[in-house]
């Protein structure tokens, strides 16, 4: 259900961007180039070409995602696939937000309310199209909170490790 809702919003925003965004700032109808996009993707492309990761004030959070895609698919399709991965991560984060809410309030209604509010949130979904790290950052922060709560109830170190991994990556 979360994937379906996110895809509906994704298509809505794609159609909106195509009509209202300059054509030279959209890749494959789904990847939106904003002011900072080149600051994230240019250094990764340089890294893949063997020139190193040289940038000012850009953490390499997109590097593990985009570098293999750029290497295998090139710039245009690699960037489009990053957007697909952002939507999938966003869909999973919808479920995790609902789980977090349900567990914190020990209430299934809280689960449902959080699920629907977050799944239908335009503010969150609009970033899935942007060629920035914001969508992944938001999803990974949610993943970190989810695994932190899992650790507090299970005391399994793998959950603590996952929480740390995702909070680190989101930073």
């Amino acid at each position: 259900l979360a994937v379906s809702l996110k895809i509906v919003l994704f298509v809505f925003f794609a159609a909106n961007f195509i009509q209202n965004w300059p054509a030279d700032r959209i890749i494959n109808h789904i990847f939106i180039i904003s002011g900072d996009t080149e600051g994230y993707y240019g250094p990764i492309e340089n890294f893949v070409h063997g020139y190193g990761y040289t940038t000012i004030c850009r953490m390499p959070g997109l590097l593990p995602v985009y570098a293999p895609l750029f290497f295998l698919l090139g710039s245009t399709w690699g960037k489009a696939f990053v957007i697909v991965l952002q939507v999938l991560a966003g869909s999973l984060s919808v479920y995790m937000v609902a789980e977090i809410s349900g567990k914190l309030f020990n209430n299934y209604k809280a689960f449902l309310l959080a699920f629907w509010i977050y799944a239908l949130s335009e503010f969150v979904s609009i970033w899935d199209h942007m060629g920035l790290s914001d969508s992944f950052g938001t999803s990974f922060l949610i993943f970190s909170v989810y695994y932190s709560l899992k650790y507090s109830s299970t005391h399994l170190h793998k959950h603590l490790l996952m929480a740390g991994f995702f909070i680190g990556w989101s930073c």
Side-chain angles (χ1 to χ4, degrees):
L1 184 60
V3 172
S4 298
L5 291 170
K6 291 292 275 185
I7 288 174
V8 167
L9 282 172
F10 184 81
V11 170
F12 170 77
F13 284 119
N16 188 18
F17 281 127
I18 288 169
Q19 291 178 355
N20 299 306
W21 205 266
D24 65 335
R25 308 292 289 166
I26 301 174
I27 298 173
N28 279 355
H29 306 291
I30 61 172
F31 184 102
I32 304 301
I33 300 169
S34 69
D36 289 351
T37 300
E38 186 55 36
Y40 288 96
Y41 289 84
I44 298 170
E45 292 175 8
N46 287 339
F47 177 79
V48 171
H49 288 301
Y51 303 123
Y53 188 83
T54 54
T55 182
I56 298 174
C57 300
R58 292 289 179 240
M59 295 298 285
L62 287 171
L63 181 69
V65 176
Y66 180 60
L69 296 172
F70 175 71
F71 180 77
L72 295 171
L73 305 172
S75 177
T76 301
W77 287 103
K79 287 176 180 171
F81 203 79
V82 165
I83 300 302
V84 171
L85 293 175
Q86 286 182 169
V87 171
L88 292 174
S91 298
L92 183 57
S93 74
V94 167
Y95 172 76
M96 289 183 168
V97 161
E99 277 286 316
I100 292 165
S101 181
K103 287 191 187 312
L104 286 177
F105 294 103
N106 197 25
N107 187 318
Y108 185 67
K109 288 180 183 176
F111 173 94
L112 289 175
L113 184 63
F115 179 90
W116 286 104
I117 289 173
Y118 195 67
L120 297 174
S121 170
E122 294 175 13
F123 183 76
V124 175
S125 294
I126 200 166
W127 291 100
D128 290 340
H129 286 277
M130 298 292 173
L132 302 169
S133 62
D134 298 45
S135 179
F136 281 127
T138 302
S139 294
F140 292 169
L141 282 171
I142 292 166
F143 295 176
S144 179
V145 171
Y146 174 83
Y147 282 111
S148 294
L149 285 175
K150 291 266 303 175
Y151 174 75
S152 69
S153 64
T154 65
H155 300 289
L156 294 174
H157 287 90
K158 67 180 181 180
H159 294 141
L160 189 59
L161 183 62
M162 293 298 289
F165 173 78
F166 283 116
I167 193 72
W169 195 345
S170 67
C171 292

